[in-house]
Amino acid sequence: MQGQSPTPDGQVADAVKGNWVDTHAPAWSRPYLRLSRADRPIGTWLLLIPCWWGLALAILWDDTPVWQDAWIFVACGLGAWLMRGAGCTWNDITDRNFDGAVERTRSRPIPSGQVTVRGAVTWMCAQALVAFGILMTFNWAAIGMGVLALLPVAVYPFAKRFTWWPQIFLGLAFNWGAMLAWVAHTGSLAWPPVILYLAGIAWTLFYDTIYAHQDTEDDALIGVKSTARLFGDNSPSWLRRFIVATVGLMALAVVLAAHVDANLLTLLIALAGPWAMGWHMTWQLRVFDPENNPRLLKLFRLNRDTGLIPLIFFAVATFV
C-alpha cells in the first residue's frame, strides 16, 4: 500500500465528507492538512473544550473577569488547532507501520505515500513552534504548564504498545488545557482545575473507548491494545462508570471553584452543567452498538456537543 493512495485524490477514509481540506484547500497543502486532521475537526474540539472549561471555572473562582481572558479564549483555540495538528503528525509518524495494516487508517498521508517521514517531521516542528509563540503570550506559570504538556503528548502514541489503557494517556494529553487555562487566568494552580482535569480524563475514557471499538479486530491482529479490546462485551458497564466519574468529579470541581460569596443560583446553574453533560453521555450509552462502526464514529463526533454543554452553564453562571 505504501506509495499509493487507496482513496480518490488522497482523501482519508474516515474524514468528514465534503470537508474544506478536500474541497477548497490548495492541492499541495492537502496531505499536510490531513496529517493535522484538519479534515477531521472533532479532535481539535476535544482538545479545546477542557481549556474553555478551565478558563470559565477560573473566572468563577476569583469572580474577576479581565480583557486578557478574551485573548486566552482565542489563544486556546489557535493553540488547540496547532498542537492537535502537531500531536496527530507525531502520532502518524510513530504509528506509520500500524496504520498501514488497519483498514480505517491505511489511507492516512504517510502509509499511503502522500507525505514522507522527513516532511512530516518538518511539518510537526513548524506547527509546534507557532503554538509555542502563542504560549509565550501567557504568564510564566502557564508557559511552564504548556511545556510540561509535551510529555504526555510524546508518550501517548507508544501507550497502545505497553498498556491496555492507552486512553488514559490520551486523556492526560487532551485535558491538560483545563489546568493551563486556569493558570493563564489566575497565575497559579489549585485543586479545582486538577479535579476538572481528572473529570476530563474520565470523559476521554468514555468517548475514546467508543471510538476504539471501530478497530478491535484489526488491533487484535497487529497486537495493539485498547480499552475497547480489554472491556469487550463489558464495555457498557465500564462506560457507565466513566459517566459517573465524569459527572461526579466535574461537580466537585464546580463546588470547589465557586466563589466564597457566590449565591446559590450561581452554584446551581454551574452544577447543572455536569448534570446535563451526564444525561447526554447516558443517551450515547443507550444507543451504543460496538458492531456498528458508522454509529460509533457518529457518537464519537457527538462528544463535541457533550463537552460544550457544561461550558454553556459555566458561562451563564459567571454572569449571575
Side-chain angles (χ1 to χ4, degrees), residues 209-295:
T209 296
I210 292 174
Y211 183 78
H213 267 282
Q214 297 175 91
D215 300 325
T216 51
E217 292 184 5
D218 286 331
D219 286 349
L221 289 173
I222 61 179
V224 168
K225 299 178 174 67
S226 72
T227 50
R229 286 190 61 206
L230 176 65
F231 301 155
D233 293 339
N234 290 324
S235 285
S237 295
W238 280 97
L239 292 175
R240 192 171 295 109
R241 294 181 183 121
F242 297 147
I243 294 172
V244 172
T246 302
V247 174
L249 287 166
M250 186 178 288
L252 178 58
V254 168
V255 170
L256 294 177
H259 190 262
V260 66
D261 295 325
N263 60 51
L264 181 60
L265 180 59
T266 297
L267 180 60
L268 290 176
I269 292 173
L271 284 173
W275 177 82
M277 181 181 183
W279 275 110
H280 195 268
M281 294 169 74
T282 301
W283 170 79
Q284 291 183 56
L285 179 57
R286 278 204 294 265
V287 299
F288 169 73
D289 179 357
E291 305 300 325
N292 187 333
N293 279 9
R295 181 178 295 178

Side-chain angles (χ1 to χ4, degrees), residues 94 147 260:
T94 60
V147 172
V260 66

